[in-house]
Each structure stands twice: as structure tokens, then as C-alpha cells.
Amino acid sequence: MIDPSIPPVIVVGAGPVGMTAAAVLAQAGIPTVVVESAPEPQPDWRASTFHAATLELLEGIGITERMHTEGLVVPRYQFRDRRDGLVAEFDLGLLRDETRFPYRLQLNQQRLVRFLHDQLLADPLVRLRFGARLTDLSTDADGVAVTVETPEGTERLRGAYVIGADGARSTVRKQLRVPFQGFTYPERFLIVSTPVDMSAQVPGIAEVNYIADPEQWLFILRTPEAWRVLWPVPSGTGDEEATAPEEMQRQLQSVAPLAGGYPIIDHQIYHVHQRVAATFRSGRALLIGDAAHVNSPVGGVGLNSGIHDAMDLTRRLVRILTEGADADAELDGFARCRRRIALEYVQADTQRNTDRLRETDEETRLTNQRELRALAADPDRARAWLRRVSLLESVQRFGIGTPHTELEGTSA
């Protein structure tokens, strides 16, 4: 039964972050409208890693078990050197006493979107408006108004709050005139998927591998569908040249020669940024996921932190709309907490990981190798490292949707 006294929340963006937000709200009995410019859920292969803290959070909306039926459990990952081979291996099993999920779950993000789409499609509290493009947004003391263009014409939607989960080029963020602070890498990243078993081509690798090299570093990982190889594309190389079949084949052959060549079943080239919105809140409009912060994919935390944003925000909105909690205290707490985590964890760790892979100074490269070996060899230090990179530390430190307004230490 829909409570007519509770106005809807409008979620802009039907990717994994926006759909997660809608699922939490609907579960709590809050009407939700999801606005998405694409005509249907998008088959984006880009993000594919779910960390322990995220899997624990997604249990709350009943989706984790289904993710495991199609996902790939990966308990180990490696740092390697393209010239020297294995540097260090980390075993997430060290976290077995701290989480039910002491591993990474590899699952392409469009699978989660499909699961959530199926769930929300059957929920009477949720309206899924695909093919609806946001063109205008305004807020006042009583709510928000959103104008969307659809194949049937212009429509105006009214709600209590609007959540911008519409990606790095967020229309919501632009409508709010919120600066997106940071930088863009000069190179682009190209990720190529092949059904060839790369562990047979590069003996000894794990199912997730970060491979340092001063000339061309690599990221090699396995998903349920394929093995994926990522490498940087220099700024002077055009997209068409970089994604030409013969050039992608040449690059794969340089990773490991294969007679007859590598079948390629998918490829994506994209710009990579390290940016954070100046604020995650403007009145009744909130930003989460890539609309709020984007980062290097090295570490696999962008999607995960976006889901954490969604969980944090929606738990607060539930208290505001169903329990009468103080809106400013809750939403200011969300904005400060999640922005601080984006800066101190997401941005800092992904930049450090990327710098380590692309380091050109030989002495610094050797120092990095020694540090990683020493870290992996010490179970206590390795456990602390894994607690951080699996995002368990940030959740334990700041909570998710915790009803407080003051954060530990100084604000970001």
C-alpha cells in the first residue's frame, strides 16, 4: 500500500548506484521515480569488482545471493612487474574473521543493474522512466521539480528530494552549478575483453593483477564472461587508431604471444579523472556515485564507493521521511561524511595505486617493490591493508547512514 502522505524521491540515473538507491527507498515504503535518458538498462562492462563491505551492504536489499550465482569469487590478487614478474600476492582470506565475504566478487556491473531492474519493475512503489531526459531542475523549501523530455513530450515531476546518480557528466550536478574539482589524466584507458584464458598465457598470474611498467603498465583480471586487459593509451594516439583491430591485437600479443590471435568480444576506451564535487548537497538535491566523485579504476573502488553513497543517503532519507528526523542534520552529515571518504580513501588510494604502476624512476620502482613485499609478508600489516582496500575500514570508521552530524577529526 502506497502512503499518500509520503512524497516520492526522484532518482536521476538508472545505473547500479541509482538503482541501488531506488531499491533501498522502495524497501522502506517510500515512493520512488527513476529517470533515465537511455531507453533501457545499459550493457556497460566497465566496472566489475564488488568488495566485502559492499556485498555486506547489498545483503540488506536481498540481492547479494543472486550476485553470487553469476559472479566469480576471487580470494587473491597480485602486484606484478612487467619485467620482473611477481612482486607480492595478497590473500583476502586474512579477513575471514571480519567479514562474511573475504574476497572480491567479480561481476560486470550490468548484471547488478539487471537484477535490480527486475526487482524494481515488480515493485508498485517504483516508477521506472527510461527514455526520459532531465532538462530542468529546481528546488524550494517544500520539494523539488524536475522537467524531463520523453518520446511522448515534456513532463514535469514533483518530489520531496532529487538524487543525482547520473554519472560523471551529471546533468543534475550541472543544473546545480556545483564545481567538479580535480583533474583528467592525459592518457585514456582502453580495456579489451577476450575469452582466452590469460592465466594459461601468463603462467602464475592470479585472477586480478596490477602490473607495473614505466612504459606501459597493465591491469589484467578475470570476470565470469572473459579475461579483461587494460592499458593506457598515450594522449597523442586517437581513439580510432587505438581501437583498430590490428592495434588491439598487437597490444595483446605484446602481453603474451598467441598463435592465431586473440578473439576480442568487447572493448571500451575512456577518459579517466580524479574529481570530486565541491559539495554533495544543494538543498533538497543530493549527488552520489560518479555524479559526486570519479577516480582511476585501479583498485576497483569507484562503483563500490558509489553504492556506499547510495546506502548512506537513502538510510538518512528514510529517517527524514518516515521518522521525522532533522533533514539538515542528516543531509549535511551525509554530504560531509561521503565527501571526506571520497577524498581520504577513494581519491588517495586510487591515485597512489596508479602512480605505483606508472612509476618511471628506477629507484622508486624498486622501493615500491620492497614495500609491497614487506607488506604482504606481514599478516598483521597485510590484514590492515586489506581492510582498507576492501572498504571495511571506511565503513567501520564512519558508518553508513549513521545518524550523527560530527565526524571523527577535522572535516574535509
Side-chain angles (χ1 to χ4, degrees):
M1 175 69 69
I2 299 176
D3 185 345
S5 68
I6 300 179
V9 172
I10 300 170
V11 178
V12 183
V17 173
M19 296 292 259
T20 296
V24 177
L25 292 168
Q27 184 182 64
I30 296 174
T32 306
V33 181
V34 179
V35 174
E36 168 59 50
S37 60
E40 59 187 15
Q42 294 301 287
D44 190 343
W45 281 41
R46 190 174 305 179
S48 62
T49 294
F50 293 88
H51 289 297
T54 308
L55 293 170
E56 290 184 356
L57 289 169
L58 289 171
E59 277 192 303
I61 54 172
I63 210 74
T64 305
E65 183 176 351
R66 188 172 180 189
M67 292 171 68
H68 278 77
T69 65
E70 297 190 21
L72 175 70
V73 170
V74 176
R76 300 177 302 114
Y77 70 96
Q78 295 180 352
F79 284 93
R80 303 178 68 89
D81 187 273
R82 198 163 181 179
R83 182 180 60 196
D84 300 331
L86 178 64
V87 174
E89 180 172 281
F90 290 89
D91 182 358
L92 286 152
L94 288 171
L95 298 176
R96 64 177 59 89
D97 293 333
E98 302 186 40
T99 177
R100 295 179 299 282
F101 308 107
Y103 47 78
R104 300 166 60 132
L105 186 72
Q106 298 302 126
L107 181 75
N108 286 327
Q109 70 175 38
Q110 80 268 22
R111 301 277 191 108
L112 175 60
V113 171
R114 174 165 55 84
F115 300 158
L116 291 171
H117 177 266
D118 292 347
Q119 182 173 307
L120 296 175
L121 197 61
D123 194 319
L125 285 171
V126 180
R127 292 175 62 201
L128 297 176
R129 299 300 311 276
F130 284 88
R133 181 173 59 87
L134 174 70
T135 59
D136 190 51
L137 164 66
S138 62
T139 68
D140 55 39
D142 299 320
V144 300
V146 168
T147 302
V148 296
E149 293 292 337
T150 75
E152 293 74 38
T154 301
E155 184 176 349
R156 193 164 175 84
L157 307 174
R158 184 80 185 174
Y161 295 92
V162 62
I163 300 174
D166 50 340
R169 299 178 180 177
S170 171
T171 302
V172 173
R173 189 186 65 243
K174 292 173 182 176
Q175 287 279 331
L176 298 173
R177 302 184 185 278
V178 172
F180 207 27
Q181 301 164 338
F183 67 91
T184 299
Y185 287 97
E187 66 268 42
R188 286 140 299 146
F189 289 6
L190 175 60
I191 189 162
V192 176
S193 299
T194 178
V196 173
D197 181 0
M198 294 302 295
S199 66
Q201 304 307 117
V202 187
I205 65 172
E207 290 171 315
V208 175
N209 310 270
Y210 302 96
I211 305 174
D213 187 78
E215 295 184 9
Q216 187 189 64
W217 56 269
L218 300 170
F219 179 33
I220 302 177
L221 77 160
R222 183 185 170 195
T223 69
E225 297 89 350
W227 281 82
R228 305 170 73 181
V229 183
L230 181 151
W231 60 83
V233 176
S235 58
T237 303
D239 288 3
E240 187 174 344
E241 177 185 354
T243 58
E246 61 274 12
E247 174 60 17
M248 292 191 293
Q249 194 63 226
R250 185 185 71 80
Q251 295 284 359
L252 290 171
Q253 292 288 345
S254 74
V255 176
L258 178 64
Y262 287 85
I264 295 174
I265 59 178
D266 184 76
H267 70 271
Q268 295 185 50
I269 187 169
Y270 52 95
H271 289 278
V272 180
H273 316 267
Q274 294 280 24
R275 295 185 182 274
V276 179
T279 179
F280 290 10
R281 180 196 181 196
S282 178
R284 289 175 172 264
L286 298 308
L287 300 174
I288 60 176
D290 284 357
H293 50 87
V294 290
N295 55 271
S296 165
V298 181
V301 295
L303 169 62
N304 289 263
S305 60
I307 290 173
H308 294 200
D309 293 344
M311 290 287 184
D312 188 292
L313 174 58
T314 51
R315 288 181 182 182
R316 295 172 187 273
L317 288 175
V318 169
R319 287 197 294 270
I320 293 167
L321 293 170
T322 66
E323 302 172 17
D326 184 279
D328 285 333
E330 291 283 3
L331 299 181
D332 285 346
F334 155 78
R336 288 198 302 272
C337 179
R338 295 311 305 173
R339 189 171 189 274
R340 181 171 178 182
I341 290 171
L343 290 168
E344 291 189 11
Y345 286 85
V346 180
Q347 298 288 310
D349 288 356
T350 57
Q351 183 62 46
R352 187 181 303 114
N353 290 340
T354 305
D355 288 344
R356 182 183 289 119
L357 296 185
R358 70 208 295 225
E359 180 59 58
T360 58
D361 180 77
E362 187 63 19
E363 184 54 42
T364 303
R365 281 166 46 77
L366 294 174
T367 298
N368 288 340
Q369 290 184 11
R370 287 192 295 268
E371 290 176 349
L372 284 169
R373 290 191 180 103
L375 181 61
D378 183 330
D380 290 335
R381 290 182 62 205
R383 188 177 297 108
W385 162 279
L386 293 169
R387 190 181 298 117
R388 181 180 178 99
V389 300
S390 67
L391 301 180
L392 288 169
E393 180 185 313
S394 66
V395 171
Q396 292 164 356
R397 181 181 176 190
F398 295 113
I400 293 290
T402 304
H404 56 61
T405 58
E406 296 300 324
L407 298 176
E408 171 187 332
T410 58
S411 62

